[in-house]
């Protein structure tokens, strides 16, 4: 585990920020106003409209590294809150936002790096978040392996268009793809729609997840947690396959235990 000394955590919603603070309690937790995190306690809160003064404060506190973790919604912007230096960033960030999430994240990283802050991935704080290649529990069948291969092809195509990071495939058929609503919504769709076609009632299927092909892996890596396993089981799937080294497993022991209890396989698949 890499220590959190001189490291700031830009925390969003979900379980990941808590995992990082449990492993490195010395992290300086920062919360963007309008995009709250789920962590208790006092945080350094900042406005996106005053990003430059926030970056100056990080420097004053001796912060050298920054890690982004958790889901973060785009806050409402109040033009009257901008300071002159932060306002100069608006055209640059607005242009990036129009190009999609990946471009926005790259632009944000560039801004932090220009203030001599090293942006690191969550897995650099807690390396065990990324399992090595191998089957963690259960055993995928030959059909499951073929479906995982097809899922990898579909997710690569989705990622190239900055659409999503997951797909469900059953007997070679694409049953659903992940879009803006996210993984849980996709799995719920499969649960409620797979039985509408008589020829799909007996099809189980595989959920495959991977980062986008050109994604900066320091931010927004896909993740699988206990809820993912429960939703995959509710959808009647046979298992979950994901790109080894590219998908974080949150609360690893609990995820494996949940998969075993549900009779699902978990497969960190070499790309």
């Amino acid at each position: 585990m890499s220590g959190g000394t001189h490291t700031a955590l830009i925390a969003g919603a979900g379980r990941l920020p808590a995992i990082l603070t449990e492993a490195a309690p010395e992290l300086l937790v920062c919360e963007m106003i309008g995009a709250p995190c789920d962590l208790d306690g006092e945080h350094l809160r900042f406005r996106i409209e005053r990003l430059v003064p926030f970056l100056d404060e990080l420097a004053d506190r001796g912060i050298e590294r920054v890690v982004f973790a958790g889901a973060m919604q785009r806050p409402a912007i109040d033009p009257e809150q901008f300071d002159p230096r932060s306002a100069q960033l608006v055209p640059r960030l607005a242009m990036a936002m129009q190009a999609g999430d990946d471009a926005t994240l790259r632009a944000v990283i560039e801004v932090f790096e220009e203030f001599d802050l090293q942006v690191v991935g969550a897995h650099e704080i807690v390396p065990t978040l990324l399992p090595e290649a191998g089957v963690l529990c259960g055993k995928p069948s030959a059909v499951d392996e073929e479906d995982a291969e097809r899922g990898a092809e579909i997710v690569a195509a989705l990622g190239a268009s900055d659409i999503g990071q997951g797909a469900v495939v059953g007997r070679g058929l694409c049953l659903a793809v992940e879009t803006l609503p996210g993984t849980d919504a996709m799995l719920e769709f499969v649960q409620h729609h797979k039985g509408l076609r008589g020829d799909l009632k007996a099809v189980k299927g595989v959920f495959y997840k991977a980062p986008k092909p050109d994604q900066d892996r320091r931010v927004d890596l896909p993740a699988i947690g206990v809820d993912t396993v429960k939703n995959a089981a509710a959808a009647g799937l046979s298992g979950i396959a994901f790109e080894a080294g590219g998908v974080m497993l949150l609360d690893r022991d609990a995820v494996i235990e949940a998969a075993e209890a549900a009779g699902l396989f978990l497969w960190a698949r070499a790309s």
Side-chain angles (χ1 to χ4, degrees):
M1 179 187 72
S2 299
T5 305
H6 305 303
T7 303
L9 165 63
I10 311 298
R15 173 68 180 139
L16 183 57
I19 291 174
L20 297 185
T21 55
E22 289 164 7
E26 66 273 27
L27 288 167
L28 173 65
V29 179
C30 306
E31 179 183 37
M32 184 165 63
I33 295 173
C37 69
D38 295 326
L39 295 175
D40 296 328
E42 293 294 324
H43 310 138
L44 175 59
R45 303 179 79 232
F46 67 97
R47 305 189 68 96
I48 190 65
E49 299 95 335
R50 298 186 61 79
L51 180 59
V52 173
F54 167 65
L55 295 173
D56 287 340
E57 182 166 358
L58 292 184
D60 291 341
R61 289 174 177 248
I63 296 299
E64 300 171 353
R65 305 193 307 170
V66 174
V67 56
F68 293 83
M72 197 170 296
Q73 64 190 46
R74 294 184 182 181
I77 302 297
D78 182 355
E80 295 183 0
Q81 294 290 334
F82 277 105
D83 66 279
R85 290 190 299 160
S86 298
Q88 294 178 6
L89 299 173
V90 171
R92 175 178 170 187
L93 294 177
M95 185 176 298
M97 287 179 182
Q98 292 176 358
D101 289 344
D102 284 354
T104 302
L105 290 171
R106 283 195 295 270
V108 170
I109 288 173
E110 288 173 359
V111 170
F112 275 74
E113 289 178 335
E114 288 168 7
F115 281 77
D116 296 324
L117 292 165
Q118 179 189 7
V119 177
V120 299
H123 57 282
E124 295 178 69
I125 306 296
V126 185
T128 54
L129 283 167
L130 293 181
E132 296 180 357
V135 176
L136 304 180
C137 69
K139 182 175 176 58
S141 67
V143 171
D144 293 329
E145 292 178 3
E146 292 174 359
D147 284 343
E149 175 67 28
R150 177 62 175 148
E153 295 171 355
I154 292 169
V155 171
L158 289 174
S161 298
D162 197 10
I163 294 174
Q165 299 170 312
V168 176
V169 176
R171 293 184 186 172
L173 299 174
C174 181
L175 304 181
V177 296
E178 182 183 287
T179 55
L180 186 61
T183 297
D184 291 344
M186 178 190 66
L187 293 174
E188 183 179 0
F189 174 88
V190 174
Q191 177 185 353
H192 292 297
H193 290 81
K194 194 168 65 169
L196 295 181
R197 279 182 49 175
D199 57 337
L200 293 181
K201 287 183 178 180
V203 173
K204 284 188 171 291
V206 172
F207 169 40
Y208 183 81
K209 200 166 184 70
K212 299 168 186 175
D214 297 323
Q215 182 171 333
D216 189 319
R217 299 198 173 199
R218 293 173 292 176
V219 291
D220 196 33
L221 270 187
I224 292 170
V226 172
D227 287 344
T228 312
V229 173
K230 292 179 178 178
N231 291 333
L237 304 184
S238 57
I240 300 172
F242 54 95
E243 182 182 310
V247 176
M248 294 183 290
L249 206 60
L250 308 182
D251 298 309
R252 176 185 178 122
D253 291 345
V255 171
I256 294 174
E257 181 180 350
E260 289 176 334
L264 270 63
F265 69 79
L266 277 177
W267 177 20
R269 181 177 177 273
S271 57

